[in-house]
Amino acid sequence: MIHLILHQTQATQQYGSSWVTDQTGQIFYFLRGQLHKYYYQLQINDNKNMFLAEIKQASTGIIPRFKIQAGQKKIGSFGLALPMHEIIYIQRINWIVLAHPKKREYFIFHGKKLLLHGYLNNKKQLQMDIHQTSDQALLVLLTAFLDRYQQTILPLSLPQKFKLNYHQRSFNPAFNPQFKNNYQTKIRRR
């Protein structure tokens, strides 16, 4: 088993760059990509900056589709709804991802075999315990993508978007009948 840590900065949100190290600080991978409202793409390079694989958005809609590919070779694909589902099936490679987006915890399985467990460590960095080293780069790429995706999408999710805070409710006639009566009285006086 190998332990890797995803390092992100304030610039990660703006420019999309981050890196992955082991616990000693040795760099293993670089991640670059764009996570915008209408297009998502993330690629992983090794420590010599050689391209390994990428995740690209293939379609938009309520459930956008994403494809994982290395060069022109398609490795797998999956769909994500808004907000991100907790169970994601990766077609072709038959991986199952159990994600807890709010906790930022991820499990990736192939059948009953655990391939990766990602979680926040005590420094609030995403740590990945990888049990399958042959697919290490793909596992890191998928986990980093899901983590970034949920960080950009979660504030826009439908349940949170339509929740009104206390201040908005207290001045909204539909929620506060007392305000409704006072508001109608002020209108009549004019």
Side-chain angles (χ1 to χ4, degrees):
M1 179 169 48
I2 189 166
H3 306 283
L4 298 178
I5 298 169
L6 177 66
H7 297 271
Q8 301 185 79
T9 63
Q10 295 289 350
T12 299
Q13 294 270 339
Q14 187 176 2
Y15 302 107
S17 298
S18 55
W19 62 98
V20 177
T21 66
D22 63 2
Q23 293 178 327
T24 63
Q26 179 184 353
I27 294 177
F28 272 62
Y29 303 108
F30 292 104
L31 294 158
R32 291 181 183 92
Q34 302 168 344
L35 295 177
H36 296 291
K37 201 185 243 185
Y38 302 107
Y39 180 72
Y40 293 86
Q41 179 264 335
L42 187 67
Q43 74 177 28
I44 188 166
N45 298 336
D46 66 8
N47 58 0
K48 295 177 180 131
N49 213 15
M50 297 296 293
F51 173 79
L52 298 173
E54 67 183 338
I55 295 177
K56 279 186 173 182
Q57 187 167 351
S59 68
T60 58
I62 296 173
I63 303 177
R65 300 282 312 162
F66 299 91
K67 60 183 176 181
I68 306 169
Q69 58 187 41
Q72 298 300 318
K73 181 183 175 190
K74 185 176 178 182
I75 297 170
S77 64
F78 59 97
L80 291 177
L82 180 70
M84 189 175 82
H85 282 267
E86 292 190 2
I87 299 176
I88 303 159
Y89 177 69
I90 312 296
Q91 295 176 346
R92 285 191 169 188
I93 52 178
N94 300 323
W95 288 355
I96 296 174
V97 180
L98 300 177
H100 303 283
K102 290 183 181 177
K103 289 189 205 174
R104 293 180 66 191
E105 187 170 19
Y106 308 93
F107 298 90
I108 302 177
F109 292 92
H110 185 265
K112 292 182 179 180
K113 184 178 179 184
L114 178 65
L115 303 178
L116 178 139
H117 176 213
Y119 55 92
L120 286 180
N121 62 15
N122 53 5
K123 294 180 181 176
K124 300 294 183 195
Q125 297 170 320
L126 187 66
Q127 180 168 329
M128 296 168 276
D129 299 338
I130 301 172
H131 302 270
Q132 177 75 23
T133 55
S134 63
D135 295 321
Q136 181 175 305
L138 287 177
L139 292 166
V140 169
L141 175 65
L142 181 61
T143 306
F145 179 84
L146 293 174
D147 189 56
R148 270 205 218 171
Y149 183 84
Q150 70 88 17
Q151 286 181 39
T152 57
I153 286 297
L154 209 53
L156 301 175
S157 62
L158 293 176
Q160 291 182 0
K161 186 175 180 182
F162 292 112
K163 282 183 183 174
L164 296 174
N165 65 28
Y166 176 77
H167 183 71
Q168 289 171 316
R169 287 183 181 193
S170 63
F171 295 111
N172 188 333
F175 291 106
N176 188 343
Q178 181 182 7
F179 179 78
K180 184 177 181 180
N181 293 339
N182 291 342
Y183 182 72
Q184 288 174 347
T185 305
K186 289 178 183 177
I187 293 175
R188 286 185 205 144
R189 289 182 188 166
R190 290 181 182 177

